[in-house]
Amino acid sequence: MAEEQLIDDELLDLKPVAHLRAKAAALLALTLLLILGAAGYLLYARGVFEPTQRLVLTADDSEGVAVGMDMTFSGFPIGRVGKIELANDGSVRILVDVPEKDAHWLRQSSVFTLVKGIVGGTTIKAYSGMPGDAQLPADSVRPVLSGDATAELPQIINSAKEVLANVAAMTSSDSALGGSLTEVRKLAERMQGQGGALGVVLGSDEEARKVTQLLERASSVVGRMDRMVARADSQVFDANGVMPQVKATVEQLNGLLADTRKSMAKVDAVLADLQVVGSNTREASTDLGALRAEVESNLLRLESVLNDLQRKWPFAHKPELKLP
């Protein structure tokens, strides 16, 4: 009781605030102005006061479309659905408000789509393929192309079921593919056997063995031929072979021919002397006999070299090559 009495005494001691009613009214008015200013700013930010032009889109169904949803162009909102109404012919009219600053993106050839996705909401999109086309006027009526991804789900599921059934039929043990895989497995096992791939191609391991033996014999014959050719090459073209000997014989023959030419030159000189001097016939005859003997000696040596050259290969009449 004492505390309550003390509080009442303190309240009685308080002085009244001057112009309290006016101050309260001013505070309420300021609060109201702040609320109206915030609301106006929000409306301005939302483009309510921005000049717009009307675009009418017609569709068969308005499912998923709501007032206030955006119409986008290249991912940016350029319009907002202001109203949805039902026409007399049963179609749906979607009234879109497009700001005048963004209206230049819409052309006479623009296409509008209404897409209902599996994930996410419905979207209205505008596409302008020819930027140089004339600008779309206000209050234009354009059809909207509808696309519902969920409408194709039953068909996709049925197709998937058919594919799975076909795969199951193809992979069963009694299917043609299963039989083919079995044959391929058998073929692989035969290829891993003794005959390998050659036995599979020829039909049996015995035939593959014959082919292998034939290849080995052919390889042996080729080796022997290589050795024979090497030995023949050494016998013909080595330092002690036939060709160096033939070369030496030819050089010797060239020397003999040179001696013969010298002897013939001397004979010519003697004959000239015989024609000029007739009195020295006896002496010239003696010199002529000596020269004749020298020429006959050179001719005999030349004949011997030619016979020797004919006996050697490859100038012999019946050349014979003896291989080891």
Side-chain angles (χ1 to χ4, degrees), residues 141-172:
V141 180
R142 289 290 184 272
V144 63
L145 303 177
S146 300
D148 190 358
T150 58
E152 298 181 359
L153 284 178
Q155 183 179 358
I156 295 174
I157 293 174
N158 292 331
S159 299
K161 289 181 179 179
E162 292 178 0
V163 171
L164 292 176
N166 292 333
V167 171
M170 290 173 61
T171 56
S172 61

Side-chain angles (χ1 to χ4, degrees), residues 2-323:
E3 292 179 358
E4 293 178 0
Q5 185 65 33
L6 181 59
I7 293 173
D8 292 338
D9 294 339
E10 291 178 354
L11 292 175
L12 292 174
D13 292 338
L14 293 176
K15 296 179 180 182
V17 179
H19 309 292
L20 179 60
R21 189 181 298 276
K23 292 180 179 179
L27 180 61
L28 291 176
L30 180 61
T31 303
L32 182 60
L33 288 176
L34 290 176
I35 294 173
L36 292 176
Y41 178 77
L42 291 176
L43 292 176
Y44 174 77
R46 295 287 293 177
V48 175
F49 304 108
E50 191 174 6
T52 60
Q53 71 179 36
R54 180 61 57 86
L55 172 65
V56 181
L57 301 177
T58 59
D60 297 333
D61 188 5
S62 65
E63 183 180 359
V65 181
V67 176
M69 69 181 299
D70 293 330
M71 182 183 70
T72 61
F73 177 82
S74 298
F76 292 90
I78 61 171
R80 184 177 294 106
V81 177
K83 187 178 180 182
I84 303 173
E85 59 185 16
L86 187 63
N88 295 330
D89 57 354
S91 61
V92 177
R93 292 168 54 91
I94 304 173
L95 308 182
V96 182
D97 296 325
V98 181
E100 292 183 356
K101 66 181 184 64
D102 295 328
H104 65 280
W105 296 113
L106 303 180
R107 302 292 175 174
Q108 291 283 359
S109 59
S110 296
V111 178
F112 303 91
T113 61
L114 178 63
V115 181
K116 302 174 184 179
I118 300 176
V119 179
T122 304
T123 57
I124 300 176
K125 297 181 180 181
Y127 300 93
S128 297
M130 295 183 291
D133 201 0
Q135 185 174 340
L136 189 68
D139 297 326
S140 298
V141 180
R142 289 290 184 272
V144 63
L145 303 177
S146 300
D148 190 358
T150 58
E152 298 181 359
L153 284 178
Q155 183 179 358
I156 295 174
I157 293 174
N158 292 331
S159 299
K161 289 181 179 179
E162 292 178 0
V163 171
L164 292 176
N166 292 333
V167 171
M170 290 173 61
T171 56
S172 61
S173 59
D174 56 347
S175 63
L177 180 60
S180 300
L181 293 176
T182 302
E183 295 296 330
V184 170
R185 188 181 300 108
K186 293 180 180 178
L187 181 61
E189 292 176 354
R190 290 186 59 187
M191 292 179 66
Q192 294 177 358
Q194 183 178 2
L198 189 60
V200 175
V201 173
L202 297 178
S204 64
D205 295 341
E206 184 66 26
E207 296 295 333
R209 191 177 301 107
K210 291 181 181 179
V211 172
T212 303
Q213 293 176 357
L214 179 61
L215 292 176
E216 291 177 353
R217 293 179 60 186
S219 178
S220 176
V221 171
V222 170
R224 292 178 59 187
M225 291 181 65
D226 290 338
R227 291 192 297 269
M228 291 172 63
V229 170
R231 294 183 63 181
D233 183 71
S234 63
Q235 290 180 1
V236 174
F237 296 101
D238 282 353
N240 297 324
V242 175
M243 292 305 295
Q245 296 178 6
V246 172
K247 183 178 180 181
T249 305
V250 171
E251 292 177 354
Q252 186 178 2
L253 179 61
N254 290 331
L256 293 175
L257 291 175
D259 295 339
T260 304
R261 282 196 296 270
K262 292 180 181 180
S263 300
M264 294 302 295
K266 292 180 180 181
V267 171
D268 292 337
V270 171
L271 291 175
D273 291 340
L274 288 175
Q275 291 176 0
V276 175
V277 183
S279 61
N280 297 327
T281 305
R282 184 175 182 181
E283 183 179 358
S285 298
T286 304
D287 295 335
L288 183 60
L291 290 175
R292 180 180 179 182
E294 184 178 356
V295 170
E296 288 180 354
S297 177
N298 290 332
L299 291 176
L300 290 175
R301 292 172 60 189
L302 180 60
E303 184 179 3
S304 177
V305 171
L306 290 175
N307 292 332
D308 188 16
L309 183 61
Q310 289 180 355
R311 287 194 301 269
K312 294 181 179 179
W313 183 87
F315 299 98
H317 294 287
K318 295 182 180 180
E320 180 179 2
L321 176 62
K322 296 181 179 180
L323 298 178

